[in-house]
PDB file of all heavy atoms in Angstrom:
ATOM      1  N   LYS A   1     106.502 176.851  63.817  1.00 92.00           N
ATOM      2  CA  LYS A   1     105.979 178.169  63.467  1.00 92.00           C
ATOM      3  C   LYS A   1     104.838 178.531  64.412  1.00 92.00           C
ATOM      4  O   LYS A   1     104.174 177.656  64.961  1.00 92.00           O
ATOM      5  CB  LYS A   1     105.453 178.159  62.039  1.00 92.00           C
ATOM      6  CG  LYS A   1     106.490 177.818  61.006  1.00 92.00           C
ATOM      7  CD  LYS A   1     105.867 177.708  59.643  1.00 92.00           C
ATOM      8  CE  LYS A   1     106.893 177.209  58.641  1.00 92.00           C
ATOM      9  NZ  LYS A   1     106.276 176.908  57.364  1.00 92.00           N
ATOM     10  N   GLU A   2     104.607 179.815  64.577  1.00 92.00           N
ATOM     11  CA  GLU A   2     103.519 180.269  65.437  1.00 92.00           C
ATOM     12  C   GLU A   2     102.166 179.775  64.925  1.00 92.00           C
ATOM     13  O   GLU A   2     101.250 179.544  65.712  1.00 92.00           O
ATOM     14  CB  GLU A   2     103.542 181.789  65.547  1.00 92.00           C
ATOM     15  CG  GLU A   2     104.780 182.280  66.295  1.00 92.00           C
ATOM     16  CD  GLU A   2     105.018 183.764  66.157  1.00 92.00           C
ATOM     17  OE1 GLU A   2     104.043 184.527  66.175  1.00 92.00           O
ATOM     18  OE2 GLU A   2     106.198 184.142  66.039  1.00 92.00           O
ATOM     19  N   GLU A   3     102.073 179.557  63.619  1.00 94.00           N
ATOM     20  CA  GLU A   3     100.826 179.058  63.026  1.00 94.00           C
ATOM     21  C   GLU A   3     100.525 177.616  63.453  1.00 94.00           C
ATOM     22  O   GLU A   3      99.421 177.116  63.269  1.00 94.00           O
ATOM     23  CB  GLU A   3     100.878 179.109  61.496  1.00 94.00           C
ATOM     24  CG  GLU A   3     101.133 180.483  60.921  1.00 94.00           C
ATOM     25  CD  GLU A   3     102.610 180.827  60.846  1.00 94.00           C
ATOM     26  OE1 GLU A   3     103.422 180.012  60.360  1.00 94.00           O
ATOM     27  OE2 GLU A   3     102.976 181.925  61.290  1.00 94.00           O
ATOM     28  N   ASP A   4     101.535 176.943  64.013  1.00 95.00           N
ATOM     29  CA  ASP A   4     101.375 175.557  64.448  1.00 95.00           C
ATOM     30  C   ASP A   4     100.754 175.437  65.841  1.00 95.00           C
ATOM     31  O   ASP A   4     100.591 174.328  66.349  1.00 95.00           O
ATOM     32  CB  ASP A   4     102.731 174.850  64.463  1.00 95.00           C
ATOM     33  CG  ASP A   4     103.372 174.768  63.092  1.00 95.00           C
ATOM     34  OD1 ASP A   4     102.625 174.705  62.092  1.00 95.00           O
ATOM     35  OD2 ASP A   4     104.615 174.772  63.018  1.00 95.00           O
ATOM     36  N   ALA A   5     100.388 176.549  66.455  1.00 96.00           N
ATOM     37  CA  ALA A   5      99.919 176.549  67.845  1.00 96.00           C
ATOM     38  C   ALA A   5      98.725 175.620  68.060  1.00 96.00           C
ATOM     39  O   ALA A   5      98.696 174.860  69.034  1.00 96.00           O
ATOM     40  CB  ALA A   5      99.577 177.967  68.293  1.00 96.00           C
ATOM     41  N   VAL A   6      97.743 175.650  67.180  1.00 96.00           N
ATOM     42  CA  VAL A   6      96.534 174.832  67.356  1.00 96.00           C
ATOM     43  C   VAL A   6      96.899 173.349  67.321  1.00 96.00           C
ATOM     44  O   VAL A   6      96.520 172.579  68.214  1.00 96.00           O
ATOM     45  CB  VAL A   6      95.476 175.156  66.279  1.00 96.00           C
ATOM     46  CG1 VAL A   6      94.310 174.196  66.360  1.00 96.00           C
ATOM     47  CG2 VAL A   6      94.983 176.578  66.431  1.00 96.00           C
ATOM     48  N   GLN A   7      97.661 172.952  66.320  1.00 97.00           N
ATOM     49  CA  GLN A   7      98.023 171.552  66.170  1.00 97.00           C
ATOM     50  C   GLN A   7      98.935 171.086  67.309  1.00 97.00           C
ATOM     51  O   GLN A   7      98.795 169.963  67.809  1.00 97.00           O
ATOM     52  CB  GLN A   7      98.704 171.301  64.816  1.00 97.00           C
ATOM     53  CG  GLN A   7      97.791 171.466  63.641  1.00 97.00           C
ATOM     54  CD  GLN A   7      97.719 172.922  63.152  1.00 97.00           C
ATOM     55  OE1 GLN A   7      98.324 173.811  63.717  1.00 97.00           O
ATOM     56  NE2 GLN A   7      96.953 173.134  62.103  1.00 97.00           N
ATOM     57  N   PHE A   8      99.866 171.932  67.721  1.00 96.00           N
ATOM     58  CA  PHE A   8     100.793 171.570  68.787  1.00 96.00           C
ATOM     59  C   PHE A   8     100.064 171.418  70.115  1.00 96.00           C
ATOM     60  O   PHE A   8     100.326 170.489  70.881  1.00 96.00           O
ATOM     61  CB  PHE A   8     101.903 172.610  68.891  1.00 96.00           C
ATOM     62  CG  PHE A   8     102.990 172.235  69.855  1.00 96.00           C
ATOM     63  CD1 PHE A   8     103.811 171.145  69.603  1.00 96.00           C
ATOM     64  CD2 PHE A   8     103.207 172.968  71.002  1.00 96.00           C
ATOM     65  CE1 PHE A   8     104.821 170.789  70.491  1.00 96.00           C
ATOM     66  CE2 PHE A   8     104.210 172.618  71.894  1.00 96.00           C
ATOM     67  CZ  PHE A   8     105.025 171.526  71.637  1.00 96.00           C
ATOM     68  N   LEU A   9      99.138 172.316  70.383  1.00 95.00           N
ATOM     69  CA  LEU A   9      98.344 172.231  71.614  1.00 95.00           C
ATOM     70  C   LEU A   9      97.506 170.960  71.610  1.00 95.00           C
ATOM     71  O   LEU A   9      97.425 170.256  72.624  1.00 95.00           O
ATOM     72  CB  LEU A   9      97.467 173.473  71.763  1.00 95.00           C
ATOM     73  CG  LEU A   9      96.664 173.583  73.049  1.00 95.00           C
ATOM     74  CD1 LEU A   9      97.562 173.544  74.273  1.00 95.00           C
ATOM     75  CD2 LEU A   9      95.840 174.860  73.037  1.00 95.00           C
ATOM     76  N   GLU A  10      96.910 170.634  70.498  1.00 95.00           N
ATOM     77  CA  GLU A  10      96.102 169.411  70.390  1.00 95.00           C
ATOM     78  C   GLU A  10      96.980 168.173  70.593  1.00 95.00           C
ATOM     79  O   GLU A  10      96.582 167.230  71.282  1.00 95.00           O
ATOM     80  CB  GLU A  10      95.389 169.346  69.044  1.00 95.00           C
ATOM     81  CG  GLU A  10      94.501 168.151  68.885  1.00 95.00           C
ATOM     82  CD  GLU A  10      93.395 168.049  69.913  1.00 95.00           C
ATOM     83  OE1 GLU A  10      92.867 169.072  70.364  1.00 95.00           O
ATOM     84  OE2 GLU A  10      93.067 166.893  70.284  1.00 95.00           O
ATOM     85  N   LEU A  11      98.166 168.178  70.021  1.00 95.00           N
ATOM     86  CA  LEU A  11      99.093 167.065  70.209  1.00 95.00           C
ATOM     87  C   LEU A  11      99.444 166.901  71.685  1.00 95.00           C
ATOM     88  O   LEU A  11      99.425 165.789  72.216  1.00 95.00           O
ATOM     89  CB  LEU A  11     100.365 167.271  69.387  1.00 95.00           C
ATOM     90  CG  LEU A  11     101.480 166.260  69.627  1.00 95.00           C
ATOM     91  CD1 LEU A  11     101.048 164.856  69.229  1.00 95.00           C
ATOM     92  CD2 LEU A  11     102.733 166.688  68.893  1.00 95.00           C
ATOM     93  N   ASN A  12      99.748 168.003  72.350  1.00 93.00           N
ATOM     94  CA  ASN A  12     100.079 167.934  73.767  1.00 93.00           C
ATOM     95  C   ASN A  12      98.920 167.385  74.587  1.00 93.00           C
ATOM     96  O   ASN A  12      99.117 166.586  75.500  1.00 93.00           O
ATOM     97  CB  ASN A  12     100.490 169.310  74.304  1.00 93.00           C
ATOM     98  CG  ASN A  12     101.903 169.645  73.937  1.00 93.00           C
ATOM     99  OD1 ASN A  12     102.786 168.805  73.971  1.00 93.00           O
ATOM    100  ND2 ASN A  12     102.128 170.887  73.573  1.00 93.00           N
ATOM    101  N   LYS A  13      97.705 167.796  74.268  1.00 92.00           N
ATOM    102  CA  LYS A  13      96.537 167.297  74.992  1.00 92.00           C
ATOM    103  C   LYS A  13      96.339 165.803  74.743  1.00 92.00           C
ATOM    104  O   LYS A  13      95.974 165.055  75.656  1.00 92.00           O
ATOM    105  CB  LYS A  13      95.295 168.092  74.621  1.00 92.00           C
ATOM    106  CG  LYS A  13      95.326 169.502  75.201  1.00 92.00           C
ATOM    107  CD  LYS A  13      94.076 170.289  74.868  1.00 92.00           C
ATOM    108  CE  LYS A  13      94.132 171.667  75.510  1.00 92.00           C
ATOM    109  NZ  LYS A  13      92.923 172.438  75.270  1.00 92.00           N
ATOM    110  N   GLN A  14      96.591 165.354  73.510  1.00 93.00           N
ATOM    111  CA  GLN A  14      96.488 163.928  73.214  1.00 93.00           C
ATOM    112  C   GLN A  14      97.541 163.140  73.991  1.00 93.00           C
ATOM    113  O   GLN A  14      97.264 162.055  74.505  1.00 93.00           O
ATOM    114  CB  GLN A  14      96.633 163.676  71.716  1.00 93.00           C
ATOM    115  CG  GLN A  14      95.441 164.135  70.914  1.00 93.00           C
ATOM    116  CD  GLN A  14      95.666 163.971  69.417  1.00 93.00           C
ATOM    117  OE1 GLN A  14      96.668 163.442  68.966  1.00 93.00           O
ATOM    118  NE2 GLN A  14      94.708 164.452  68.631  1.00 93.00           N
ATOM    119  N   LEU A  15      98.747 163.685  74.075  1.00 92.00           N
ATOM    120  CA  LEU A  15      99.802 163.032  74.848  1.00 92.00           C
ATOM    121  C   LEU A  15      99.444 162.988  76.333  1.00 92.00           C
ATOM    122  O   LEU A  15      99.725 161.995  77.011  1.00 92.00           O
ATOM    123  CB  LEU A  15     101.137 163.742  74.641  1.00 92.00           C
ATOM    124  CG  LEU A  15     101.751 163.591  73.252  1.00 92.00           C
ATOM    125  CD1 LEU A  15     102.954 164.504  73.102  1.00 92.00           C
ATOM    126  CD2 LEU A  15     102.121 162.148  72.987  1.00 92.00           C
ATOM    127  N   ASP A  16      98.837 164.050  76.840  1.00 91.00           N
ATOM    128  CA  ASP A  16      98.405 164.073  78.242  1.00 91.00           C
ATOM    129  C   ASP A  16      97.424 162.937  78.516  1.00 91.00           C
ATOM    130  O   ASP A  16      97.450 162.334  79.596  1.00 91.00           O
ATOM    131  CB  ASP A  16      97.729 165.401  78.592  1.00 91.00           C
ATOM    132  CG  ASP A  16      98.681 166.584  78.564  1.00 91.00           C
ATOM    133  OD1 ASP A  16      99.913 166.373  78.600  1.00 91.00           O
ATOM    134  OD2 ASP A  16      98.178 167.720  78.498  1.00 91.00           O
ATOM    135  N   ASP A  17      96.598 162.638  77.551  1.00 91.00           N
ATOM    136  CA  ASP A  17      95.590 161.584  77.713  1.00 91.00           C
ATOM    137  C   ASP A  17      96.204 160.191  77.833  1.00 91.00           C
ATOM    138  O   ASP A  17      95.538 159.262  78.282  1.00 91.00           O
ATOM    139  CB  ASP A  17      94.588 161.603  76.553  1.00 91.00           C
ATOM    140  CG  ASP A  17      93.654 162.806  76.600  1.00 91.00           C
ATOM    141  OD1 ASP A  17      93.543 163.430  77.672  1.00 91.00           O
ATOM    142  OD2 ASP A  17      93.038 163.110  75.561  1.00 91.00           O
ATOM    143  N   THR A  18      97.478 160.050  77.461  1.00 91.00           N
ATOM    144  CA  THR A  18      98.120 158.737  77.559  1.00 91.00           C
ATOM    145  C   THR A  18      98.463 158.370  78.991  1.00 91.00           C
ATOM    146  O   THR A  18      98.652 157.197  79.298  1.00 91.00           O
ATOM    147  CB  THR A  18      99.415 158.675  76.723  1.00 91.00           C
ATOM    148  OG1 THR A  18     100.402 159.535  77.311  1.00 91.00           O
ATOM    149  CG2 THR A  18      99.165 159.032  75.268  1.00 91.00           C
ATOM    150  N   GLY A  19      98.579 159.365  79.861  1.00 84.00           N
ATOM    151  CA  GLY A  19      98.947 159.101  81.244  1.00 84.00           C
ATOM    152  C   GLY A  19     100.447 159.009  81.469  1.00 84.00           C
ATOM    153  O   GLY A  19     100.893 158.798  82.587  1.00 84.00           O
ATOM    154  N   TYR A  20     101.245 159.178  80.410  1.00 87.00           N
ATOM    155  CA  TYR A  20     102.695 159.086  80.526  1.00 87.00           C
ATOM    156  C   TYR A  20     103.375 160.455  80.547  1.00 87.00           C
ATOM    157  O   TYR A  20     104.597 160.521  80.521  1.00 87.00           O
ATOM    158  CB  TYR A  20     103.271 158.270  79.364  1.00 87.00           C
ATOM    159  CG  TYR A  20     102.870 156.825  79.402  1.00 87.00           C
ATOM    160  CD1 TYR A  20     101.935 156.329  78.508  1.00 87.00           C
ATOM    161  CD2 TYR A  20     103.411 155.967  80.341  1.00 87.00           C
ATOM    162  CE1 TYR A  20     101.554 154.999  78.549  1.00 87.00           C
ATOM    163  CE2 TYR A  20     103.039 154.631  80.390  1.00 87.00           C
ATOM    164  CZ  TYR A  20     102.108 154.163  79.488  1.00 87.00           C
ATOM    165  OH  TYR A  20     101.743 152.860  79.530  1.00 87.00           O
ATOM    166  N   MET A  21     102.620 161.496  80.593  1.00 85.00           N
ATOM    167  CA  MET A  21     103.187 162.839  80.514  1.00 85.00           C
ATOM    168  C   MET A  21     103.067 163.555  81.860  1.00 85.00           C
ATOM    169  O   MET A  21     102.499 163.042  82.819  1.00 85.00           O
ATOM    170  CB  MET A  21     102.495 163.641  79.414  1.00 85.00           C
ATOM    171  CG  MET A  21     102.599 163.013  78.022  1.00 85.00           C
ATOM    172  SD  MET A  21     104.282 162.701  77.476  1.00 85.00           S
ATOM    173  CE  MET A  21     104.834 164.345  77.154  1.00 85.00           C
ATOM    174  N   LEU A  22     103.596 164.773  81.914  1.00 88.00           N
ATOM    175  CA  LEU A  22     103.587 165.576  83.138  1.00 88.00           C
ATOM    176  C   LEU A  22     102.167 165.904  83.585  1.00 88.00           C
ATOM    177  O   LEU A  22     101.858 165.872  84.775  1.00 88.00           O
ATOM    178  CB  LEU A  22     104.377 166.870  82.897  1.00 88.00           C
ATOM    179  CG  LEU A  22     104.465 167.858  84.053  1.00 88.00           C
ATOM    180  CD1 LEU A  22     105.207 167.233  85.234  1.00 88.00           C
ATOM    181  CD2 LEU A  22     105.174 169.127  83.606  1.00 88.00           C
ATOM    182  N   TYR A  23     101.290 166.204  82.636  1.00 87.00           N
ATOM    183  CA  TYR A  23      99.917 166.570  82.960  1.00 87.00           C
ATOM    184  C   TYR A  23      98.991 165.366  82.848  1.00 87.00           C
ATOM    185  O   TYR A  23      99.169 164.516  81.983  1.00 87.00           O
ATOM    186  CB  TYR A  23      99.406 167.662  82.011  1.00 87.00           C
ATOM    187  CG  TYR A  23     100.096 168.992  82.184  1.00 87.00           C
ATOM    188  CD1 TYR A  23     101.085 169.397  81.309  1.00 87.00           C
ATOM    189  CD2 TYR A  23      99.748 169.850  83.217  1.00 87.00           C
ATOM    190  CE1 TYR A  23     101.720 170.619  81.460  1.00 87.00           C
ATOM    191  CE2 TYR A  23     100.373 171.075  83.381  1.00 87.00           C
ATOM    192  CZ  TYR A  23     101.360 171.449  82.499  1.00 87.00           C
ATOM    193  OH  TYR A  23     101.978 172.654  82.653  1.00 87.00           O
ATOM    194  N   ASP A  24      98.001 165.336  83.706  1.00 88.00           N
ATOM    195  CA  ASP A  24      96.950 164.323  83.612  1.00 88.00           C
ATOM    196  C   ASP A  24      95.906 164.786  82.605  1.00 88.00           C
ATOM    197  O   ASP A  24      95.840 165.980  82.284  1.00 88.00           O
ATOM    198  CB  ASP A  24      96.288 164.112  84.973  1.00 88.00           C
ATOM    199  CG  ASP A  24      97.197 163.368  85.947  1.00 88.00           C
ATOM    200  OD1 ASP A  24      97.960 162.500  85.491  1.00 88.00           O
ATOM    201  OD2 ASP A  24      97.133 163.663  87.153  1.00 88.00           O
ATOM    202  N   PRO A  25      95.076 163.880  82.105  1.00 87.00           N
ATOM    203  CA  PRO A  25      94.036 164.276  81.153  1.00 87.00           C
ATOM    204  C   PRO A  25      93.172 165.421  81.703  1.00 87.00           C
ATOM    205  O   PRO A  25      92.731 165.383  82.857  1.00 87.00           O
ATOM    206  CB  PRO A  25      93.207 163.010  80.992  1.00 87.00           C
ATOM    207  CG  PRO A  25      94.168 161.905  81.265  1.00 87.00           C
ATOM    208  CD  PRO A  25      95.073 162.440  82.355  1.00 87.00           C
ATOM    209  N   GLY A  26      93.020 166.475  80.894  1.00 86.00           N
ATOM    210  CA  GLY A  26      92.198 167.619  81.274  1.00 86.00           C
ATOM    211  C   GLY A  26      92.881 168.623  82.177  1.00 86.00           C
ATOM    212  O   GLY A  26      92.311 169.662  82.507  1.00 86.00           O
ATOM    213  N   GLU A  27      94.098 168.345  82.589  1.00 90.00           N
ATOM    214  CA  GLU A  27      94.795 169.232  83.518  1.00 90.00           C
ATOM    215  C   GLU A  27      95.469 170.424  82.823  1.00 90.00           C
ATOM    216  O   GLU A  27      95.629 171.484  83.418  1.00 90.00           O
ATOM    217  CB  GLU A  27      95.837 168.432  84.295  1.00 90.00           C
ATOM    218  CG  GLU A  27      96.471 169.172  85.433  1.00 90.00           C
ATOM    219  CD  GLU A  27      97.437 168.312  86.228  1.00 90.00           C
ATOM    220  OE1 GLU A  27      97.646 167.133  85.877  1.00 90.00           O
ATOM    221  OE2 GLU A  27      97.993 168.824  87.190  1.00 90.00           O
ATOM    222  N   ARG A  28      95.848 170.269  81.578  1.00 89.00           N
ATOM    223  CA  ARG A  28      96.538 171.351  80.843  1.00 89.00           C
ATOM    224  C   ARG A  28      95.555 172.495  80.618  1.00 89.00           C
ATOM    225  O   ARG A  28      94.509 172.334  80.019  1.00 89.00           O
ATOM    226  CB  ARG A  28      97.056 170.824  79.503  1.00 89.00           C
ATOM    227  CG  ARG A  28      97.948 171.805  78.767  1.00 89.00           C
ATOM    228  CD  ARG A  28      98.466 171.228  77.472  1.00 89.00           C
ATOM    229  NE  ARG A  28      99.289 170.061  77.680  1.00 89.00           N
ATOM    230  CZ  ARG A  28     100.616 170.093  77.862  1.00 89.00           C
ATOM    231  NH1 ARG A  28     101.239 171.231  77.841  1.00 89.00           N
ATOM    232  NH2 ARG A  28     101.291 168.974  78.051  1.00 89.00           N
ATOM    233  N   GLN A  29      95.914 173.679  81.070  1.00 92.00           N
ATOM    234  CA  GLN A  29      95.032 174.835  80.996  1.00 92.00           C
ATOM    235  C   GLN A  29      95.394 175.818  79.886  1.00 92.00           C
ATOM    236  O   GLN A  29      94.704 176.817  79.703  1.00 92.00           O
ATOM    237  CB  GLN A  29      95.030 175.581  82.344  1.00 92.00           C
ATOM    238  CG  GLN A  29      94.508 174.734  83.494  1.00 92.00           C
ATOM    239  CD  GLN A  29      93.067 174.309  83.288  1.00 92.00           C
ATOM    240  OE1 GLN A  29      92.211 175.120  82.954  1.00 92.00           O
ATOM    241  NE2 GLN A  29      92.806 173.025  83.466  1.00 92.00           N
ATOM    242  N   MET A  30      96.446 175.555  79.149  1.00 93.00           N
ATOM    243  CA  MET A  30      96.888 176.473  78.104  1.00 93.00           C
ATOM    244  C   MET A  30      95.868 176.521  76.977  1.00 93.00           C
ATOM    245  O   MET A  30      95.332 175.501  76.566  1.00 93.00           O
ATOM    246  CB  MET A  30      98.245 176.023  77.560  1.00 93.00           C
ATOM    247  CG  MET A  30      98.831 176.991  76.537  1.00 93.00           C
ATOM    248  SD  MET A  30     100.505 176.555  76.024  1.00 93.00           S
ATOM    249  CE  MET A  30     101.444 177.147  77.413  1.00 93.00           C
ATOM    250  N   ASN A  31      95.606 177.726  76.481  1.00 95.00           N
ATOM    251  CA  ASN A  31      94.719 177.867  75.335  1.00 95.00           C
ATOM    252  C   ASN A  31      95.556 178.207  74.099  1.00 95.00           C
ATOM    253  O   ASN A  31      96.771 178.347  74.177  1.00 95.00           O
ATOM    254  CB  ASN A  31      93.628 178.918  75.601  1.00 95.00           C
ATOM    255  CG  ASN A  31      94.192 180.305  75.838  1.00 95.00           C
ATOM    256  OD1 ASN A  31      95.172 180.709  75.243  1.00 95.00           O
ATOM    257  ND2 ASN A  31      93.559 181.048  76.732  1.00 95.00           N
ATOM    258  N   VAL A  32      94.900 178.330  72.969  1.00 95.00           N
ATOM    259  CA  VAL A  32      95.615 178.544  71.699  1.00 95.00           C
ATOM    260  C   VAL A  32      96.402 179.850  71.718  1.00 95.00           C
ATOM    261  O   VAL A  32      97.559 179.893  71.283  1.00 95.00           O
ATOM    262  CB  VAL A  32      94.635 178.518  70.502  1.00 95.00           C
ATOM    263  CG1 VAL A  32      95.339 178.886  69.213  1.00 95.00           C
ATOM    264  CG2 VAL A  32      93.985 177.154  70.382  1.00 95.00           C
ATOM    265  N   GLU A  33      95.829 180.909  72.247  1.00 96.00           N
ATOM    266  CA  GLU A  33      96.538 182.194  72.295  1.00 96.00           C
ATOM    267  C   GLU A  33      97.798 182.085  73.154  1.00 96.00           C
ATOM    268  O   GLU A  33      98.857 182.585  72.777  1.00 96.00           O
ATOM    269  CB  GLU A  33      95.622 183.287  72.852  1.00 96.00           C
ATOM    270  CG  GLU A  33      96.275 184.658  72.875  1.00 96.00           C
ATOM    271  CD  GLU A  33      95.339 185.738  73.378  1.00 96.00           C
ATOM    272  OE1 GLU A  33      94.122 185.644  73.136  1.00 96.00           O
ATOM    273  OE2 GLU A  33      95.834 186.673  74.023  1.00 96.00           O
ATOM    274  N   GLU A  34      97.702 181.418  74.285  1.00 96.00           N
ATOM    275  CA  GLU A  34      98.868 181.236  75.153  1.00 96.00           C
ATOM    276  C   GLU A  34      99.921 180.372  74.469  1.00 96.00           C
ATOM    277  O   GLU A  34     101.122 180.638  74.594  1.00 96.00           O
ATOM    278  CB  GLU A  34      98.445 180.611  76.484  1.00 96.00           C
ATOM    279  CG  GLU A  34      97.605 181.533  77.335  1.00 96.00           C
ATOM    280  CD  GLU A  34      96.949 180.826  78.506  1.00 96.00           C
ATOM    281  OE1 GLU A  34      96.691 179.598  78.416  1.00 96.00           O
ATOM    282  OE2 GLU A  34      96.678 181.499  79.515  1.00 96.00           O
ATOM    283  N   GLN A  35      99.496 179.344  73.742  1.00 96.00           N
ATOM    284  CA  GLN A  35     100.441 178.490  73.023  1.00 96.00           C
ATOM    285  C   GLN A  35     101.138 179.282  71.920  1.00 96.00           C
ATOM    286  O   GLN A  35     102.337 179.148  71.718  1.00 96.00           O
ATOM    287  CB  GLN A  35      99.733 177.278  72.425  1.00 96.00           C
ATOM    288  CG  GLN A  35     100.664 176.296  71.754  1.00 96.00           C
ATOM    289  CD  GLN A  35     101.586 175.622  72.747  1.00 96.00           C
ATOM    290  OE1 GLN A  35     101.133 174.836  73.551  1.00 96.00           O
ATOM    291  NE2 GLN A  35     102.863 175.917  72.681  1.00 96.00           N
ATOM    292  N   HIS A  36     100.391 180.122  71.238  1.00 95.00           N
ATOM    293  CA  HIS A  36     100.951 180.983  70.196  1.00 95.00           C
ATOM    294  C   HIS A  36     102.037 181.870  70.795  1.00 95.00           C
ATOM    295  O   HIS A  36     103.142 181.989  70.233  1.00 95.00           O
ATOM    296  CB  HIS A  36      99.828 181.827  69.578  1.00 95.00           C
ATOM    297  CG  HIS A  36     100.238 182.613  68.388  1.00 95.00           C
ATOM    298  ND1 HIS A  36     100.822 183.851  68.494  1.00 95.00           N
ATOM    299  CD2 HIS A  36     100.153 182.343  67.073  1.00 95.00           C
ATOM    300  CE1 HIS A  36     101.071 184.318  67.295  1.00 95.00           C
ATOM    301  NE2 HIS A  36     100.678 183.416  66.410  1.00 95.00           N
ATOM    302  N   LYS A  37     101.762 182.478  71.935  1.00 96.00           N
ATOM    303  CA  LYS A  37     102.737 183.345  72.603  1.00 96.00           C
ATOM    304  C   LYS A  37     103.959 182.553  73.053  1.00 96.00           C
ATOM    305  O   LYS A  37     105.089 183.034  72.949  1.00 96.00           O
ATOM    306  CB  LYS A  37     102.099 184.046  73.802  1.00 96.00           C
ATOM    307  CG  LYS A  37     101.120 185.131  73.416  1.00 96.00           C
ATOM    308  CD  LYS A  37     100.503 185.762  74.654  1.00 96.00           C
ATOM    309  CE  LYS A  37      99.453 186.787  74.268  1.00 96.00           C
ATOM    310  NZ  LYS A  37      98.807 187.367  75.467  1.00 96.00           N
ATOM    311  N   ALA A  38     103.745 181.344  73.556  1.00 94.00           N
ATOM    312  CA  ALA A  38     104.865 180.516  74.012  1.00 94.00           C
ATOM    313  C   ALA A  38     105.791 180.167  72.850  1.00 94.00           C
ATOM    314  O   ALA A  38     107.014 180.192  72.999  1.00 94.00           O
ATOM    315  CB  ALA A  38     104.335 179.248  74.681  1.00 94.00           C
ATOM    316  N   ILE A  39     105.224 179.858  71.699  1.00 93.00           N
ATOM    317  CA  ILE A  39     106.037 179.557  70.513  1.00 93.00           C
ATOM    318  C   ILE A  39     106.820 180.794  70.100  1.00 93.00           C
ATOM    319  O   ILE A  39     108.013 180.716  69.795  1.00 93.00           O
ATOM    320  CB  ILE A  39     105.164 179.035  69.360  1.00 93.00           C
ATOM    321  CG1 ILE A  39     104.582 177.666  69.721  1.00 93.00           C
ATOM    322  CG2 ILE A  39     105.969 178.951  68.053  1.00 93.00           C
ATOM    323  CD1 ILE A  39     103.534 177.164  68.756  1.00 93.00           C
ATOM    324  N   ALA A  40     106.173 181.946  70.103  1.00 94.00           N
ATOM    325  CA  ALA A  40     106.849 183.194  69.737  1.00 94.00           C
ATOM    326  C   ALA A  40     107.998 183.486  70.705  1.00 94.00           C
ATOM    327  O   ALA A  40     109.083 183.909  70.282  1.00 94.00           O
ATOM    328  CB  ALA A  40     105.858 184.350  69.730  1.00 94.00           C
ATOM    329  N   GLN A  41     107.796 183.240  71.994  1.00 93.00           N
ATOM    330  CA  GLN A  41     108.848 183.469  72.981  1.00 93.00           C
ATOM    331  C   GLN A  41     110.019 182.509  72.772  1.00 93.00           C
ATOM    332  O   GLN A  41     111.181 182.910  72.883  1.00 93.00           O
ATOM    333  CB  GLN A  41     108.304 183.326  74.398  1.00 93.00           C
ATOM    334  CG  GLN A  41     107.410 184.467  74.804  1.00 93.00           C
ATOM    335  CD  GLN A  41     106.751 184.249  76.161  1.00 93.00           C
ATOM    336  OE1 GLN A  41     106.717 183.134  76.680  1.00 93.00           O
ATOM    337  NE2 GLN A  41     106.210 185.313  76.718  1.00 93.00           N
ATOM    338  N   MET A  42     109.709 181.246  72.461  1.00 90.00           N
ATOM    339  CA  MET A  42     110.788 180.280  72.205  1.00 90.00           C
ATOM    340  C   MET A  42     111.607 180.702  70.991  1.00 90.00           C
ATOM    341  O   MET A  42     112.824 180.578  70.990  1.00 90.00           O
ATOM    342  CB  MET A  42     110.220 178.880  71.985  1.00 90.00           C
ATOM    343  CG  MET A  42     109.766 178.211  73.247  1.00 90.00           C
ATOM    344  SD  MET A  42     109.309 176.480  73.010  1.00 90.00           S
ATOM    345  CE  MET A  42     107.706 176.645  72.234  1.00 90.00           C
TER     346      MET A  42
END
């Protein structure tokens, strides 16, 4: 749901911190509003 944007973004950032994902720690620039829009587009 679009309401999940905050939690989903936080999860992605936590995954980035593992070093096993596409982005390195701190590299993801998406904010909550952009994540909300991305969910709506999907």
